[in-house]
């Protein structure tokens, strides 16, 4: 009964409301509310701050969400091992990945992984903003940059350079920047990460990293949209070399300011503590490491 209540609690967090969780689970809103109240009574703590339109996690609720992820994952793993046998790999894997990289590289890793393990169920979330792995029920995420949340485990996959690039048609109309400061005279295509916009691009100038302010008339929270705008000639973009490698080879994009490139950033897979012990998750992490090695 407790495991069922924990699953319901995570479903509420995942769907964003008790009404949506009730609808997806085939329960009445009253039943969902009663079960949540019973769970709070069991722990003697309020788990959610509720208003008429939204809710937020209390500290106790956040701790329970993270712990419930570990507990339910291990329960599912135990269930699979008992029912299906220790050598079979089965069950759901929910992962988050950057938009471009997810479509171009990670999707094919998942195709091969599921072909090898057809009883695994893949739930792929593509987006360039960070997600709360524990609260939103993710097993793992592939991310660029340094790990900020020290409660997560990390496996470094590779290093990736960022390239400044533009389409030949854009350069023909507006000229080619020769120095990072020249970008102030160009239309730059920017990424938005949650509430933050990537308005300051780093360059290595005279042995030191300088962040150059850029501006432009197009911003998106999706990396593929920025890449498409760059190919169409709308402006200059800053993209992962993996996302635009084929475009550069084909001549659709031209790398710029290569003498001022900063060191590559890390690509890593992160996951909550305990998830790496689940066999299907562990095997997928190994498959991702092999892809980027």
């Amino acid at each position: 009964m407790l495991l069922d209540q924990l699953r319901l609690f995570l479903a509420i967090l995942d769907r964003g409301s008790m009404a949506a969780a009730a609808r997806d689970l085939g329960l009445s809103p009253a039943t969902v509310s009663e079960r949540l109240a019973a769970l709070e009574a069991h722990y003697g703590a309020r788990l959610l701050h509720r208003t008429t339109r939204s809710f937020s996690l209390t500290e106790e609720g956040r701790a329970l969400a993270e712990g419930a992820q570990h507990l339910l994952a291990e329960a599912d793993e135990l269930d699979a091992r008992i029912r299906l046998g220790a050598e079979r790999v089965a069950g759901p894997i929910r992962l988050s990945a950057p938009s471009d990289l997810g479509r171009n590289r990670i999707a094919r890793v998942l195709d091969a992984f599921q072909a090898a393990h057809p009883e695994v169920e893949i739930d792929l979330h593509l987006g360039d903003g960070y997600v709360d792995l524990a609260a939103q029920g993710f097993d793992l995420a592939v991310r660029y940059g340094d790990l900020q949340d020290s409660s997560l485990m990390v496996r470094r996959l590779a290093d990736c350079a960022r390239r400044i690039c533009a389409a030949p048609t854009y350069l023909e109309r507006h000229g080619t920047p020769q120095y990072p400061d020249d970008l102030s005279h160009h239309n730059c295509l920017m990424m938005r990460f949650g509430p933050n916009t990537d308005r300051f691009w780093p360059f290595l100038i005279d042995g030191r990293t300088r962040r150059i302010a850029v501006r432009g008339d197009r911003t998106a929270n999706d990396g593929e949209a920025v890449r498409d705008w760059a190919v169409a000639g709308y402006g200059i973009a800053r993209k992962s070399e993996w996302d635009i490698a084929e475009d550069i080879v084909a001549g659709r994009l031209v790398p710029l300011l290569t003498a001022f490139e900063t060191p590559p950033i890390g690509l890593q897979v992160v996951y909550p503590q305990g998830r790496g012990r689940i066999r299907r998750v562990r095997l997928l992490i190994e498959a991702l490491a092999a892809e980027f090695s």
Side-chain angles (χ1 to χ4, degrees):
M1 179 66 73
L2 178 59
L3 292 181
D4 290 340
Q5 289 177 331
L6 291 176
R7 292 186 196 279
L8 176 64
F9 177 60
L10 294 181
I12 293 171
L13 302 184
D14 184 42
R15 274 66 168 188
S17 72
M18 287 190 285
R23 183 171 56 252
D24 289 353
L25 298 175
L27 301 172
S28 69
T31 298
V32 171
S33 181
E34 290 171 3
R35 292 188 182 180
L36 178 60
L39 189 62
E40 291 181 324
H42 174 80
Y43 288 107
R46 182 172 291 277
L47 303 175
L48 300 175
H49 294 301
R50 294 186 281 277
T51 68
T52 55
R53 293 183 176 273
S54 64
F55 65 80
S56 61
L57 283 166
T58 64
E59 288 301 316
E60 293 82 2
R62 184 172 297 278
L64 181 62
E66 183 172 349
Q69 288 293 335
H70 301 162
L71 179 62
L72 292 173
E74 292 184 2
D76 290 343
E77 179 77 358
L78 177 62
D79 180 72
R81 288 175 67 85
I82 298 300
R83 290 189 302 105
L84 302 176
E87 297 307 314
R88 295 174 70 181
V89 180
I93 301 178
R94 191 166 193 233
L95 69 153
S96 171
S99 297
D100 276 4
L101 190 70
R103 292 185 181 96
N104 298 331
R105 296 285 295 272
I106 294 175
R108 69 176 183 232
V109 176
L110 298 178
D111 291 342
F113 187 81
Q114 202 163 34
H117 308 289
E119 292 176 289
V120 167
E121 303 161 17
I122 297 295
D123 183 354
L124 175 62
H125 175 276
L126 295 179
D128 292 296
Y130 281 2
V131 296
D132 187 329
L133 271 65
Q136 296 179 256
F138 286 95
D139 295 294
L140 66 157
V142 177
R143 293 177 176 172
Y144 290 111
D146 295 328
L147 179 65
Q148 300 295 324
D149 187 345
S150 60
S151 69
L152 296 175
M153 306 300 291
V154 59
R155 170 79 175 268
R156 196 172 186 88
L157 299 177
D159 290 324
C160 179
R162 295 282 188 178
R163 307 292 188 197
I164 307 299
C165 60
T169 52
Y170 175 87
L171 300 175
E172 289 168 6
R173 294 194 306 271
H174 303 283
T176 300
Q178 302 298 318
Y179 196 78
D181 287 327
D182 295 344
L183 292 176
S184 63
H185 305 297
H186 287 270
N187 193 49
C188 294
L189 309 170
M190 293 171 288
M191 279 287 301
R192 183 187 302 110
F193 301 95
N196 302 314
T197 300
D198 186 23
R199 297 182 180 277
F200 296 91
W201 292 0
F203 293 91
L204 195 62
I205 301 173
D206 297 329
R208 300 181 63 181
T209 299
R210 276 184 54 199
R211 303 183 72 83
I212 303 298
V214 299
R215 58 188 178 87
D217 61 7
R218 294 188 181 222
T219 302
N221 66 345
D222 181 89
E224 188 170 31
V226 171
R227 175 258 173 201
D228 289 345
W229 287 341
V231 170
Y234 289 114
I236 296 176
R238 178 173 177 259
K239 294 290 298 174
S240 159
E241 64 178 346
W242 290 326
D243 296 341
I244 58 170
E246 294 181 1
D247 295 315
I248 289 176
V249 170
R252 292 185 292 267
L253 291 174
V254 177
L256 307 172
L257 302 172
T258 55
F260 303 96
E261 289 177 354
T262 54
I265 63 172
L267 179 72
Q268 53 206 0
V269 57
V270 297
Y271 50 96
Q273 295 183 30
R275 304 302 282 184
R277 294 197 298 269
I278 300 170
R279 189 162 185 256
R280 61 182 180 275
V281 175
R282 186 174 69 251
L283 291 176
L284 179 56
I285 291 171
E286 293 300 328
L288 290 167
E291 167 69 16
F292 290 99
S293 65

